Amino acid sequence: MRNISMFFISLFIQGLPFLVLGSLLGAVISTRISLSRWLLKIPRQSFLGALTGALAGFILPSCECFVIPLVRRLKAQGLPTSAAVAYLLAAPTLNPLSLISTWSAFSTTPYSYAIFIRVIGSLILSVGIGMLFSKMPEHHLWKGDLLREMNPRAFPSPRYSWGDTISMALEDLRSIAIYYIIGCFMAALLQNTSILPVLSVSMPMADTALMMVLAYISSVCSSADAFIASSITSVSFAAKMAFLWLGPILDLKLTFTYPLLLKARPFLILIFTVIVLIFAMSWILGKALYSI
Amino acid sequence: MKKEFSPCVFQVQRLIPSCSLIGWGGMILFFQKNQLLPLLQHPRFHLLTLATAWVLILLGILRLIIPSRHSFEDLSSQILREILLLSPLLFFICFPFNQNQVNSLVKREHRTFTPSFDPDRADLSWIHSKTVPSPNLVELLLVCSDPEERHKLDGKIIALEGQFLPSERGYKLSRLFMFCCVADVQTIVIGIDGTPPPNMKEGDWFHVEGKIHFSGKKENLVLLQKSVRLIPPPSDIYLYYTK
């Protein structure tokens, strides 16, 4: 139990700075910065909207811990669905810290091109799923309280003081921290068992499946996951990329934070689509590398 | 109909949201003061975590001072929510940990580090050293993962430091290897062919000098012991992939 307590607390304090930063950034954007004008100019057309949202990951960086409160606020300000979903899925991978760590981890291995494969894969996933979700009615997609908050003209308002900004940031922080704490606890429980090492690698693509399970359970921050992927020698490069594509989009702790944004059905669709796409991309990558 | 609260309940409800923020910040500062923070995470994150602790305490105080426009939820559900938010702190109070707890992780052999060859870190200049070299264990394993590099090391005498693990044949040197935080810690285990000092217990730190040998299909690194002695634990017990 003491091991679980130690893992739980270490995971919690590891992500806490990003939760605080994300909540503060989200609240400042909502109440102090006039993004509404720009957000309303983002193309409503699904492909262009999704592409713009995904590319925003480079210039409006956020890791997976703070992307959800930020997207929550951006969506409430009028960000189109295609762009919001694409940003949600792309930003944790495309943020500068994650890209630097990916480059560092793979630059001295035979897979120095891993950073490009990771970026391309992330763009395909985020733009594809962003376009898919833009076809769904908004009231089927987003949580009800988020839809009630949606009023682009109301933000920013001169009525918002710095006190309101702090109150909003703290409300966001406290809301998301509950889910994050549950996720950290589950991850700590699993990290303390020997379930993962006994999973055998015996079938084709089994290493990809194993790495995807590992990415989901370990819930490692996208700023550090590349070092873990590069250090595991018993799996193929395609399986390592599956780990790097999936982790920032879907892991145990995020399973408890996505419901803050999405309703149950679109969340299940997201999980299914992400898993199928990553599995397919990993298979194609494996075939392509084998044929070279 | 809008619910009316007594002034006392109203004050309690204003206080409650600050508890978790100040509690989290205080917990991190306590870890720092008691040297527990270096056990929990990579040194690269210490400054960020400490800055966050102070920001949380400041935000908690501001939350007390600044009147909120948010309507208060029911007191009982607010208390339940706060207990959940404070669960990391409550866990630490109920199940505290210390360096001994971290040391016990060396026994987790199911989480053993598997290195992959890294040519950029294959610096073997130390093998020409006139004194007995003490190579970085991570770099040594990275080099040893390459069959072509192994033969350069075979038969060289090196010195290593680590924690004692008993074994059926000889004994083992174990080190904890961290990527990011203690939850992703793995063990590095090297077999030692020799006899440990009689007073050595599991988890004790020792310094060993020995000859590099590769056993099995010439894949497993084993140290043929020449000398061994007990040493005090180092200031930082972890090995890191990147400093």
Side-chain angles (χ1 to χ4, degrees), chain B residues 193-227:
Chain B
D193 193 345
T195 313
N199 54 344
M200 194 138 70
K201 297 188 299 295
E202 189 173 277
D204 279 352
W205 284 84
F206 66 96
H207 174 102
V208 61
E209 282 184 21
K211 191 189 279 185
I212 293 176
H213 171 70
F214 292 96
S215 68
K217 295 175 184 172
K218 290 279 177 191
E219 285 177 352
N220 303 322
L221 173 64
V222 177
L223 213 58
L224 306 176
Q225 179 190 312
K226 287 200 169 295
S227 67

PDB file of all heavy atoms in Angstrom, chain B residues 193-227:
ATOM      1  N   ASP B 193      29.501 -12.649  -9.884  1.00  0.00           N
ATOM      2  CA  ASP B 193      29.971 -14.005  -9.597  1.00  0.00           C
ATOM      3  C   ASP B 193      31.024 -13.900  -8.492  1.00  0.00           C
ATOM      4  O   ASP B 193      32.160 -13.489  -8.743  1.00  0.00           O
ATOM      5  CB  ASP B 193      30.556 -14.610 -10.880  1.00  0.00           C
ATOM      6  CG  ASP B 193      30.761 -16.108 -10.743  1.00  0.00           C
ATOM      7  OD1 ASP B 193      30.728 -16.598  -9.599  1.00  0.00           O
ATOM      8  OD2 ASP B 193      30.948 -16.772 -11.771  1.00  0.00           O
ATOM      9  N   GLY B 194      30.638 -14.213  -7.266  1.00  0.00           N
ATOM     10  CA  GLY B 194      31.555 -14.085  -6.133  1.00  0.00           C
ATOM     11  C   GLY B 194      30.799 -14.252  -4.830  1.00  0.00           C
ATOM     12  O   GLY B 194      29.609 -14.595  -4.829  1.00  0.00           O
ATOM     13  N   THR B 195      31.487 -13.981  -3.736  1.00  0.00           N
ATOM     14  CA  THR B 195      30.870 -14.147  -2.418  1.00  0.00           C
ATOM     15  C   THR B 195      30.691 -12.771  -1.779  1.00  0.00           C
ATOM     16  O   THR B 195      31.662 -12.013  -1.669  1.00  0.00           O
ATOM     17  CB  THR B 195      31.775 -15.005  -1.502  1.00  0.00           C
ATOM     18  OG1 THR B 195      32.173 -16.145  -2.251  1.00  0.00           O
ATOM     19  CG2 THR B 195      31.040 -15.421  -0.245  1.00  0.00           C
ATOM     20  N   PRO B 196      29.478 -12.448  -1.363  1.00  0.00           N
ATOM     21  CA  PRO B 196      29.269 -11.146  -0.721  1.00  0.00           C
ATOM     22  C   PRO B 196      29.807 -11.151   0.708  1.00  0.00           C
ATOM     23  O   PRO B 196      29.955 -12.221   1.309  1.00  0.00           O
ATOM     24  CB  PRO B 196      27.748 -11.008  -0.723  1.00  0.00           C
ATOM     25  CG  PRO B 196      27.231 -12.400  -0.739  1.00  0.00           C
ATOM     26  CD  PRO B 196      28.239 -13.221  -1.473  1.00  0.00           C
ATOM     27  N   PRO B 197      30.093  -9.962   1.279  1.00  0.00           N
ATOM     28  CA  PRO B 197      30.503  -9.910   2.682  1.00  0.00           C
ATOM     29  C   PRO B 197      29.419 -10.532   3.557  1.00  0.00           C
ATOM     30  O   PRO B 197      28.220 -10.390   3.267  1.00  0.00           O
ATOM     31  CB  PRO B 197      30.631  -8.414   2.977  1.00  0.00           C
ATOM     32  CG  PRO B 197      30.775  -7.772   1.650  1.00  0.00           C
ATOM     33  CD  PRO B 197      30.058  -8.622   0.674  1.00  0.00           C
ATOM     34  N   PRO B 198      29.788 -11.225   4.627  1.00  0.00           N
ATOM     35  CA  PRO B 198      28.797 -11.954   5.423  1.00  0.00           C
ATOM     36  C   PRO B 198      27.741 -11.058   6.072  1.00  0.00           C
ATOM     37  O   PRO B 198      26.624 -11.508   6.323  1.00  0.00           O
ATOM     38  CB  PRO B 198      29.652 -12.659   6.486  1.00  0.00           C
ATOM     39  CG  PRO B 198      30.958 -11.959   6.484  1.00  0.00           C
ATOM     40  CD  PRO B 198      31.163 -11.395   5.118  1.00  0.00           C
ATOM     41  N   ASN B 199      28.096  -9.806   6.349  1.00  0.00           N
ATOM     42  CA  ASN B 199      27.145  -8.934   7.049  1.00  0.00           C
ATOM     43  C   ASN B 199      26.255  -8.139   6.088  1.00  0.00           C
ATOM     44  O   ASN B 199      25.526  -7.243   6.514  1.00  0.00           O
ATOM     45  CB  ASN B 199      27.893  -7.975   7.981  1.00  0.00           C
ATOM     46  CG  ASN B 199      28.967  -7.199   7.229  1.00  0.00           C
ATOM     47  OD1 ASN B 199      29.354  -7.567   6.125  1.00  0.00           O
ATOM     48  ND2 ASN B 199      29.441  -6.130   7.836  1.00  0.00           N
ATOM     49  N   MET B 200      26.296  -8.427   4.804  1.00  0.00           N
ATOM     50  CA  MET B 200      25.527  -7.633   3.826  1.00  0.00           C
ATOM     51  C   MET B 200      24.070  -8.097   3.791  1.00  0.00           C
ATOM     52  O   MET B 200      23.796  -9.296   3.668  1.00  0.00           O
ATOM     53  CB  MET B 200      26.147  -7.754   2.448  1.00  0.00           C
ATOM     54  CG  MET B 200      25.622  -6.719   1.486  1.00  0.00           C
ATOM     55  SD  MET B 200      26.905  -6.002   0.439  1.00  0.00           S
ATOM     56  CE  MET B 200      27.308  -7.353  -0.619  1.00  0.00           C
ATOM     57  N   LYS B 201      23.153  -7.097   3.886  1.00  0.00           N
ATOM     58  CA  LYS B 201      21.721  -7.407   3.865  1.00  0.00           C
ATOM     59  C   LYS B 201      21.110  -6.876   2.574  1.00  0.00           C
ATOM     60  O   LYS B 201      21.669  -5.980   1.936  1.00  0.00           O
ATOM     61  CB  LYS B 201      21.020  -6.746   5.063  1.00  0.00           C
ATOM     62  CG  LYS B 201      21.494  -7.252   6.423  1.00  0.00           C
ATOM     63  CD  LYS B 201      20.635  -6.713   7.545  1.00  0.00           C
ATOM     64  CE  LYS B 201      20.653  -5.196   7.656  1.00  0.00           C
ATOM     65  NZ  LYS B 201      21.934  -4.620   8.021  1.00  0.00           N
ATOM     66  N   GLU B 202      19.942  -7.404   2.230  1.00  0.00           N
ATOM     67  CA  GLU B 202      19.244  -6.962   1.019  1.00  0.00           C
ATOM     68  C   GLU B 202      19.041  -5.448   1.048  1.00  0.00           C
ATOM     69  O   GLU B 202      18.552  -4.909   2.047  1.00  0.00           O
ATOM     70  CB  GLU B 202      17.889  -7.670   0.932  1.00  0.00           C
ATOM     71  CG  GLU B 202      17.184  -7.455  -0.387  1.00  0.00           C
ATOM     72  CD  GLU B 202      15.934  -8.294  -0.492  1.00  0.00           C
ATOM     73  OE1 GLU B 202      16.051  -9.462  -0.849  1.00  0.00           O
ATOM     74  OE2 GLU B 202      14.843  -7.777  -0.189  1.00  0.00           O
ATOM     75  N   GLY B 203      19.404  -4.777  -0.033  1.00  0.00           N
ATOM     76  CA  GLY B 203      19.237  -3.327  -0.118  1.00  0.00           C
ATOM     77  C   GLY B 203      20.455  -2.543   0.332  1.00  0.00           C
ATOM     78  O   GLY B 203      20.525  -1.335   0.098  1.00  0.00           O
ATOM     79  N   ASP B 204      21.423  -3.194   0.982  1.00  0.00           N
ATOM     80  CA  ASP B 204      22.649  -2.498   1.403  1.00  0.00           C
ATOM     81  C   ASP B 204      23.434  -2.048   0.178  1.00  0.00           C
ATOM     82  O   ASP B 204      23.453  -2.719  -0.853  1.00  0.00           O
ATOM     83  CB  ASP B 204      23.536  -3.443   2.238  1.00  0.00           C
ATOM     84  CG  ASP B 204      23.071  -3.533   3.680  1.00  0.00           C
ATOM     85  OD1 ASP B 204      22.172  -2.756   4.059  1.00  0.00           O
ATOM     86  OD2 ASP B 204      23.594  -4.387   4.423  1.00  0.00           O
ATOM     87  N   TRP B 205      24.134  -0.906   0.335  1.00  0.00           N
ATOM     88  CA  TRP B 205      24.946  -0.376  -0.773  1.00  0.00           C
ATOM     89  C   TRP B 205      26.352  -0.959  -0.685  1.00  0.00           C
ATOM     90  O   TRP B 205      26.916  -1.071   0.401  1.00  0.00           O
ATOM     91  CB  TRP B 205      24.989   1.149  -0.705  1.00  0.00           C
ATOM     92  CG  TRP B 205      23.710   1.758  -1.188  1.00  0.00           C
ATOM     93  CD1 TRP B 205      22.581   1.954  -0.457  1.00  0.00           C
ATOM     94  CD2 TRP B 205      23.412   2.204  -2.518  1.00  0.00           C
ATOM     95  NE1 TRP B 205      21.582   2.493  -1.242  1.00  0.00           N
ATOM     96  CE2 TRP B 205      22.076   2.664  -2.507  1.00  0.00           C
ATOM     97  CE3 TRP B 205      24.125   2.254  -3.710  1.00  0.00           C
ATOM     98  CZ2 TRP B 205      21.456   3.177  -3.644  1.00  0.00           C
ATOM     99  CZ3 TRP B 205      23.507   2.773  -4.841  1.00  0.00           C
ATOM    100  CH2 TRP B 205      22.180   3.220  -4.803  1.00  0.00           C
ATOM    101  N   PHE B 206      26.893  -1.315  -1.836  1.00  0.00           N
ATOM    102  CA  PHE B 206      28.251  -1.853  -1.861  1.00  0.00           C
ATOM    103  C   PHE B 206      29.005  -1.392  -3.096  1.00  0.00           C
ATOM    104  O   PHE B 206      28.413  -0.960  -4.090  1.00  0.00           O
ATOM    105  CB  PHE B 206      28.238  -3.393  -1.773  1.00  0.00           C
ATOM    106  CG  PHE B 206      27.631  -4.077  -2.967  1.00  0.00           C
ATOM    107  CD1 PHE B 206      28.438  -4.553  -4.002  1.00  0.00           C
ATOM    108  CD2 PHE B 206      26.263  -4.261  -3.067  1.00  0.00           C
ATOM    109  CE1 PHE B 206      27.889  -5.187  -5.105  1.00  0.00           C
ATOM    110  CE2 PHE B 206      25.704  -4.898  -4.166  1.00  0.00           C
ATOM    111  CZ  PHE B 206      26.517  -5.359  -5.179  1.00  0.00           C
ATOM    112  N   HIS B 207      30.329  -1.459  -2.975  1.00  0.00           N
ATOM    113  CA  HIS B 207      31.231  -1.109  -4.075  1.00  0.00           C
ATOM    114  C   HIS B 207      31.923  -2.411  -4.477  1.00  0.00           C
ATOM    115  O   HIS B 207      32.481  -3.102  -3.633  1.00  0.00           O
ATOM    116  CB  HIS B 207      32.248  -0.075  -3.567  1.00  0.00           C
ATOM    117  CG  HIS B 207      33.318   0.261  -4.551  1.00  0.00           C
ATOM    118  ND1 HIS B 207      33.296   1.417  -5.290  1.00  0.00           N
ATOM    119  CD2 HIS B 207      34.441  -0.404  -4.911  1.00  0.00           C
ATOM    120  CE1 HIS B 207      34.373   1.447  -6.062  1.00  0.00           C
ATOM    121  NE2 HIS B 207      35.092   0.356  -5.848  1.00  0.00           N
ATOM    122  N   VAL B 208      31.879  -2.737  -5.749  1.00  0.00           N
ATOM    123  CA  VAL B 208      32.494  -3.990  -6.187  1.00  0.00           C
ATOM    124  C   VAL B 208      33.440  -3.730  -7.358  1.00  0.00           C
ATOM    125  O   VAL B 208      33.164  -2.879  -8.221  1.00  0.00           O
ATOM    126  CB  VAL B 208      31.403  -5.033  -6.573  1.00  0.00           C
ATOM    127  CG1 VAL B 208      30.543  -4.552  -7.720  1.00  0.00           C
ATOM    128  CG2 VAL B 208      32.003  -6.385  -6.899  1.00  0.00           C
ATOM    129  N   GLU B 209      34.565  -4.408  -7.331  1.00  0.00           N
ATOM    130  CA  GLU B 209      35.471  -4.369  -8.477  1.00  0.00           C
ATOM    131  C   GLU B 209      35.503  -5.765  -9.060  1.00  0.00           C
ATOM    132  O   GLU B 209      35.552  -6.771  -8.322  1.00  0.00           O
ATOM    133  CB  GLU B 209      36.879  -3.962  -8.043  1.00  0.00           C
ATOM    134  CG  GLU B 209      37.005  -2.456  -7.817  1.00  0.00           C
ATOM    135  CD  GLU B 209      38.427  -2.037  -7.478  1.00  0.00           C
ATOM    136  OE1 GLU B 209      39.376  -2.779  -7.785  1.00  0.00           O
ATOM    137  OE2 GLU B 209      38.558  -0.954  -6.894  1.00  0.00           O
ATOM    138  N   GLY B 210      35.470  -5.859 -10.372  1.00  0.00           N
ATOM    139  CA  GLY B 210      35.461  -7.183 -10.983  1.00  0.00           C
ATOM    140  C   GLY B 210      35.698  -7.130 -12.474  1.00  0.00           C
ATOM    141  O   GLY B 210      35.759  -6.055 -13.083  1.00  0.00           O
ATOM    142  N   LYS B 211      35.819  -8.327 -13.050  1.00  0.00           N
ATOM    143  CA  LYS B 211      36.108  -8.454 -14.482  1.00  0.00           C
ATOM    144  C   LYS B 211      34.807  -8.649 -15.258  1.00  0.00           C
ATOM    145  O   LYS B 211      33.957  -9.462 -14.852  1.00  0.00           O
ATOM    146  CB  LYS B 211      37.043  -9.649 -14.692  1.00  0.00           C
ATOM    147  CG  LYS B 211      37.634  -9.726 -16.092  1.00  0.00           C
ATOM    148  CD  LYS B 211      38.364 -11.036 -16.319  1.00  0.00           C
ATOM    149  CE  LYS B 211      39.759 -11.028 -15.728  1.00  0.00           C
ATOM    150  NZ  LYS B 211      40.489 -12.281 -16.068  1.00  0.00           N
ATOM    151  N   ILE B 212      34.664  -7.935 -16.368  1.00  0.00           N
ATOM    152  CA  ILE B 212      33.459  -8.075 -17.199  1.00  0.00           C
ATOM    153  C   ILE B 212      33.491  -9.416 -17.931  1.00  0.00           C
ATOM    154  O   ILE B 212      34.510  -9.810 -18.501  1.00  0.00           O
ATOM    155  CB  ILE B 212      33.365  -6.922 -18.227  1.00  0.00           C
ATOM    156  CG1 ILE B 212      33.127  -5.588 -17.507  1.00  0.00           C
ATOM    157  CG2 ILE B 212      32.268  -7.181 -19.254  1.00  0.00           C
ATOM    158  CD1 ILE B 212      33.107  -4.382 -18.421  1.00  0.00           C
ATOM    159  N   HIS B 213      32.340 -10.091 -17.875  1.00  0.00           N
ATOM    160  CA  HIS B 213      32.222 -11.382 -18.550  1.00  0.00           C
ATOM    161  C   HIS B 213      30.795 -11.463 -19.099  1.00  0.00           C
ATOM    162  O   HIS B 213      29.861 -10.951 -18.495  1.00  0.00           O
ATOM    163  CB  HIS B 213      32.491 -12.509 -17.529  1.00  0.00           C
ATOM    164  CG  HIS B 213      32.194 -13.869 -18.060  1.00  0.00           C
ATOM    165  ND1 HIS B 213      32.969 -14.460 -19.026  1.00  0.00           N
ATOM    166  CD2 HIS B 213      31.207 -14.762 -17.757  1.00  0.00           C
ATOM    167  CE1 HIS B 213      32.463 -15.657 -19.297  1.00  0.00           C
ATOM    168  NE2 HIS B 213      31.400 -15.860 -18.552  1.00  0.00           N
ATOM    169  N   PHE B 214      30.650 -12.080 -20.250  1.00  0.00           N
ATOM    170  CA  PHE B 214      29.303 -12.228 -20.818  1.00  0.00           C
ATOM    171  C   PHE B 214      28.909 -13.701 -20.791  1.00  0.00           C
ATOM    172  O   PHE B 214      29.611 -14.544 -21.358  1.00  0.00           O
ATOM    173  CB  PHE B 214      29.254 -11.674 -22.252  1.00  0.00           C
ATOM    174  CG  PHE B 214      29.412 -10.183 -22.279  1.00  0.00           C
ATOM    175  CD1 PHE B 214      30.660  -9.609 -22.510  1.00  0.00           C
ATOM    176  CD2 PHE B 214      28.345  -9.346 -22.013  1.00  0.00           C
ATOM    177  CE1 PHE B 214      30.822  -8.237 -22.498  1.00  0.00           C
ATOM    178  CE2 PHE B 214      28.497  -7.966 -22.000  1.00  0.00           C
ATOM    179  CZ  PHE B 214      29.738  -7.413 -22.246  1.00  0.00           C
ATOM    180  N   SER B 215      27.796 -13.982 -20.114  1.00  0.00           N
ATOM    181  CA  SER B 215      27.378 -15.373 -19.937  1.00  0.00           C
ATOM    182  C   SER B 215      26.243 -15.716 -20.899  1.00  0.00           C
ATOM    183  O   SER B 215      25.805 -14.872 -21.686  1.00  0.00           O
ATOM    184  CB  SER B 215      26.923 -15.600 -18.495  1.00  0.00           C
ATOM    185  OG  SER B 215      25.740 -14.885 -18.263  1.00  0.00           O
ATOM    186  N   GLY B 216      25.735 -16.930 -20.809  1.00  0.00           N
ATOM    187  CA  GLY B 216      24.639 -17.384 -21.672  1.00  0.00           C
ATOM    188  C   GLY B 216      25.118 -17.392 -23.111  1.00  0.00           C
ATOM    189  O   GLY B 216      26.194 -17.907 -23.419  1.00  0.00           O
ATOM    190  N   LYS B 217      24.303 -16.774 -24.010  1.00  0.00           N
ATOM    191  CA  LYS B 217      24.740 -16.674 -25.413  1.00  0.00           C
ATOM    192  C   LYS B 217      25.572 -15.403 -25.583  1.00  0.00           C
ATOM    193  O   LYS B 217      25.382 -14.637 -26.527  1.00  0.00           O
ATOM    194  CB  LYS B 217      23.516 -16.632 -26.326  1.00  0.00           C
ATOM    195  CG  LYS B 217      22.707 -17.912 -26.301  1.00  0.00           C
ATOM    196  CD  LYS B 217      21.438 -17.735 -27.144  1.00  0.00           C
ATOM    197  CE  LYS B 217      20.577 -18.970 -27.062  1.00  0.00           C
ATOM    198  NZ  LYS B 217      19.272 -18.774 -27.712  1.00  0.00           N
ATOM    199  N   LYS B 218      26.438 -15.173 -24.638  1.00  0.00           N
ATOM    200  CA  LYS B 218      27.321 -13.982 -24.638  1.00  0.00           C
ATOM    201  C   LYS B 218      26.492 -12.699 -24.620  1.00  0.00           C
ATOM    202  O   LYS B 218      26.841 -11.694 -25.227  1.00  0.00           O
ATOM    203  CB  LYS B 218      28.244 -13.990 -25.875  1.00  0.00           C
ATOM    204  CG  LYS B 218      29.308 -15.067 -25.830  1.00  0.00           C
ATOM    205  CD  LYS B 218      30.463 -14.615 -24.970  1.00  0.00           C
ATOM    206  CE  LYS B 218      31.527 -15.675 -24.828  1.00  0.00           C
ATOM    207  NZ  LYS B 218      32.510 -15.348 -23.794  1.00  0.00           N
ATOM    208  N   GLU B 219      25.322 -12.747 -23.969  1.00  0.00           N
ATOM    209  CA  GLU B 219      24.444 -11.576 -23.948  1.00  0.00           C
ATOM    210  C   GLU B 219      24.347 -10.951 -22.565  1.00  0.00           C
ATOM    211  O   GLU B 219      24.153  -9.747 -22.439  1.00  0.00           O
ATOM    212  CB  GLU B 219      23.035 -11.972 -24.415  1.00  0.00           C
ATOM    213  CG  GLU B 219      22.947 -12.192 -25.903  1.00  0.00           C
ATOM    214  CD  GLU B 219      21.579 -12.655 -26.336  1.00  0.00           C
ATOM    215  OE1 GLU B 219      20.743 -12.953 -25.473  1.00  0.00           O
ATOM    216  OE2 GLU B 219      21.364 -12.743 -27.555  1.00  0.00           O
ATOM    217  N   ASN B 220      24.452 -11.791 -21.526  1.00  0.00           N
ATOM    218  CA  ASN B 220      24.231 -11.274 -20.174  1.00  0.00           C
ATOM    219  C   ASN B 220      25.540 -10.850 -19.519  1.00  0.00           C
ATOM    220  O   ASN B 220      26.478 -11.620 -19.412  1.00  0.00           O
ATOM    221  CB  ASN B 220      23.561 -12.345 -19.309  1.00  0.00           C
ATOM    222  CG  ASN B 220      22.257 -12.809 -19.912  1.00  0.00           C
ATOM    223  OD1 ASN B 220      21.507 -12.001 -20.467  1.00  0.00           O
ATOM    224  ND2 ASN B 220      21.983 -14.094 -19.843  1.00  0.00           N
ATOM    225  N   LEU B 221      25.537  -9.582 -19.071  1.00  0.00           N
ATOM    226  CA  LEU B 221      26.725  -9.035 -18.418  1.00  0.00           C
ATOM    227  C   LEU B 221      26.821  -9.583 -16.985  1.00  0.00           C
ATOM    228  O   LEU B 221      25.864  -9.478 -16.206  1.00  0.00           O
ATOM    229  CB  LEU B 221      26.634  -7.509 -18.388  1.00  0.00           C
ATOM    230  CG  LEU B 221      27.694  -6.764 -17.594  1.00  0.00           C
ATOM    231  CD1 LEU B 221      29.073  -6.971 -18.186  1.00  0.00           C
ATOM    232  CD2 LEU B 221      27.377  -5.288 -17.534  1.00  0.00           C
ATOM    233  N   VAL B 222      27.962 -10.172 -16.673  1.00  0.00           N
ATOM    234  CA  VAL B 222      28.224 -10.668 -15.315  1.00  0.00           C
ATOM    235  C   VAL B 222      29.577 -10.111 -14.895  1.00  0.00           C
ATOM    236  O   VAL B 222      30.492  -9.994 -15.716  1.00  0.00           O
ATOM    237  CB  VAL B 222      28.270 -12.218 -15.292  1.00  0.00           C
ATOM    238  CG1 VAL B 222      28.621 -12.722 -13.900  1.00  0.00           C
ATOM    239  CG2 VAL B 222      26.936 -12.799 -15.721  1.00  0.00           C
ATOM    240  N   LEU B 223      29.682  -9.745 -13.629  1.00  0.00           N
ATOM    241  CA  LEU B 223      30.958  -9.234 -13.113  1.00  0.00           C
ATOM    242  C   LEU B 223      31.603 -10.334 -12.268  1.00  0.00           C
ATOM    243  O   LEU B 223      30.994 -10.843 -11.326  1.00  0.00           O
ATOM    244  CB  LEU B 223      30.680  -7.995 -12.255  1.00  0.00           C
ATOM    245  CG  LEU B 223      31.737  -6.902 -12.248  1.00  0.00           C
ATOM    246  CD1 LEU B 223      32.013  -6.386 -13.650  1.00  0.00           C
ATOM    247  CD2 LEU B 223      31.316  -5.761 -11.341  1.00  0.00           C
ATOM    248  N   LEU B 224      32.825 -10.714 -12.638  1.00  0.00           N
ATOM    249  CA  LEU B 224      33.546 -11.724 -11.853  1.00  0.00           C
ATOM    250  C   LEU B 224      34.266 -10.979 -10.722  1.00  0.00           C
ATOM    251  O   LEU B 224      35.245 -10.261 -10.965  1.00  0.00           O
ATOM    252  CB  LEU B 224      34.549 -12.478 -12.733  1.00  0.00           C
ATOM    253  CG  LEU B 224      33.957 -13.114 -14.009  1.00  0.00           C
ATOM    254  CD1 LEU B 224      35.054 -13.749 -14.853  1.00  0.00           C
ATOM    255  CD2 LEU B 224      32.885 -14.142 -13.666  1.00  0.00           C
ATOM    256  N   GLN B 225      33.759 -11.115  -9.525  1.00  0.00           N
ATOM    257  CA  GLN B 225      34.200 -10.303  -8.380  1.00  0.00           C
ATOM    258  C   GLN B 225      35.682 -10.471  -8.053  1.00  0.00           C
ATOM    259  O   GLN B 225      36.208 -11.571  -8.020  1.00  0.00           O
ATOM    260  CB  GLN B 225      33.359 -10.698  -7.164  1.00  0.00           C
ATOM    261  CG  GLN B 225      33.727  -9.964  -5.902  1.00  0.00           C
ATOM    262  CD  GLN B 225      33.042 -10.575  -4.703  1.00  0.00           C
ATOM    263  OE1 GLN B 225      31.854 -10.817  -4.716  1.00  0.00           O
ATOM    264  NE2 GLN B 225      33.811 -10.834  -3.657  1.00  0.00           N
ATOM    265  N   LYS B 226      36.337  -9.295  -7.825  1.00  0.00           N
ATOM    266  CA  LYS B 226      37.716  -9.314  -7.331  1.00  0.00           C
ATOM    267  C   LYS B 226      37.754  -8.808  -5.893  1.00  0.00           C
ATOM    268  O   LYS B 226      38.464  -9.340  -5.058  1.00  0.00           O
ATOM    269  CB  LYS B 226      38.603  -8.435  -8.220  1.00  0.00           C
ATOM    270  CG  LYS B 226      38.886  -9.067  -9.580  1.00  0.00           C
ATOM    271  CD  LYS B 226      40.106  -8.455 -10.211  1.00  0.00           C
ATOM    272  CE  LYS B 226      40.571  -9.234 -11.431  1.00  0.00           C
ATOM    273  NZ  LYS B 226      41.028 -10.572 -11.094  1.00  0.00           N
ATOM    274  N   SER B 227      36.989  -7.723  -5.632  1.00  0.00           N
ATOM    275  CA  SER B 227      36.893  -7.215  -4.260  1.00  0.00           C
ATOM    276  C   SER B 227      35.530  -6.563  -4.061  1.00  0.00           C
ATOM    277  O   SER B 227      34.913  -6.101  -5.029  1.00  0.00           O
ATOM    278  CB  SER B 227      38.003  -6.191  -3.982  1.00  0.00           C
ATOM    279  OG  SER B 227      37.789  -5.038  -4.768  1.00  0.00           O
TER     280      SER B 227
END
